[in-house]
Amino acid sequence: MPKKNIVILTGAGISAESGLKTFRDSDGLWMGHNVADVATPEAFYRNPDLVQQFYNERRKDVKAVQPNAAHFYLAKLEEEFNVHIVTQNIDDLHERAGSRQVLHLHGQITKMHTVKNTNIYFDATDEILTGHLGEDGSQLRPHVVWFGEEVPMLQQAAELMTRADIFILVGSSLEVYPAAGLIEFVPHEVPKFILDKKIPSLFQYENILPIEKSATEGIKELDLLLEEYRT
């Protein structure tokens, strides 16, 4: 019998439990910076040195932390289910926990691409500085999707949602669009487990099963609720 498809959408809450700071809980400030000053194309062209240094520091932050129990639990689900993770996070904690099918909606801080070609990206193991050029001769930049830029993986993510037998939301307030709209592609009859410290308003959707806890606290309850869906 084929494994059931679990599609998981993760957000800032799961990474925060590993010690990564986000702007979700800090009034639009990210590590003391206004998002408009470090996370938009306009900011990059206005002050590239500031933006590059900001992401160099965030890359160091990611390397300094470890996946938490929630990351490892989601990876372990692959033993029983066909699991696809769609994440809004730019860190690599899901991969480091062992998840094999991870789609990054907003790119990855551990990668880089040139300003001329966003489709080809490379590992960023060190700092990216102004003057660091790719093979096409243009400036290298973090492989992240800034506010105001298209989300190239959105269509692929939406298609994954349509094939879900089980949907799980972990650590997301569903406030950042277009990612927040992905739940609309999940079929009505599919059970939708919502694991977050503050459950977003989802009255318009069917088959919602809320777990109002942090990711690491809520995985035990989630595991119990998944029992009836195991083959």
Side-chain angles (χ1 to χ4, degrees), residues 15-198:
S15 294
E17 290 195 70
S18 284
L20 292 177
K21 295 185 181 297
T22 72
F23 62 83
R24 167 179 163 176
D25 299 315
S26 56
D27 300 323
L29 295 179
W30 190 2
M31 300 298 291
H33 291 276
N34 189 302
V35 171
D37 293 331
V38 291
T40 66
E42 294 79 11
F44 180 67
Y45 290 110
R46 184 171 62 244
N47 193 341
D49 290 343
L50 171 66
V51 174
Q52 295 280 28
Q53 191 55 43
F54 178 82
Y55 285 94
N56 289 336
E57 292 299 324
R58 303 293 71 72
R59 194 174 301 109
K60 291 178 184 177
D61 292 342
V62 168
K63 291 179 179 179
V65 301
Q66 299 298 323
N68 60 53
H71 291 108
F72 286 112
Y73 173 76
L74 297 183
K76 196 172 188 304
L77 285 176
E78 292 185 12
E79 296 175 5
E80 302 171 279
F81 301 93
N82 179 31
V83 179
H84 284 272
I85 294 178
V86 177
T87 185
Q88 300 175 69
N89 301 328
I90 60 174
D91 58 66
D92 61 351
L93 295 178
H94 283 301
E95 287 88 346
R96 285 158 59 189
S99 290
R100 292 176 293 177
Q101 300 187 99
V102 184
L103 187 155
H104 286 265
L105 280 174
H106 300 148
Q108 293 176 264
I109 190 68
T110 56
K111 309 288 184 182
M112 60 185 176
H113 64 256
T114 67
V115 296
K116 285 185 178 179
N117 192 339
T118 63
N119 297 317
I120 300 176
Y121 48 90
F122 322 87
D123 289 336
T125 57
D126 207 344
E127 290 189 335
I128 309 172
L129 300 174
T130 301
H132 287 181
L133 308 180
E135 292 185 359
D136 61 8
S138 66
Q139 174 66 46
L140 289 164
R141 53 159 280 187
H143 180 60
V144 296
V145 177
W146 288 324
F147 288 96
E149 293 184 320
E150 291 186 8
V151 182
M153 306 303 290
L154 191 64
Q155 183 59 41
Q156 186 177 340
E159 290 173 2
L160 285 174
M161 299 293 158
T162 67
R163 299 200 295 269
D165 298 312
I166 300 165
F167 173 76
I168 303 173
L169 176 73
V170 182
S172 176
S173 61
L174 291 182
E175 292 179 351
V176 178
Y177 282 84
L182 286 172
I183 191 173
E184 297 178 11
F185 292 90
V186 181
H188 297 299
E189 69 276 10
V190 167
K192 303 169 183 69
F193 297 93
I194 311 300
L195 172 53
D196 195 64
K197 289 191 293 185
K198 185 178 180 181

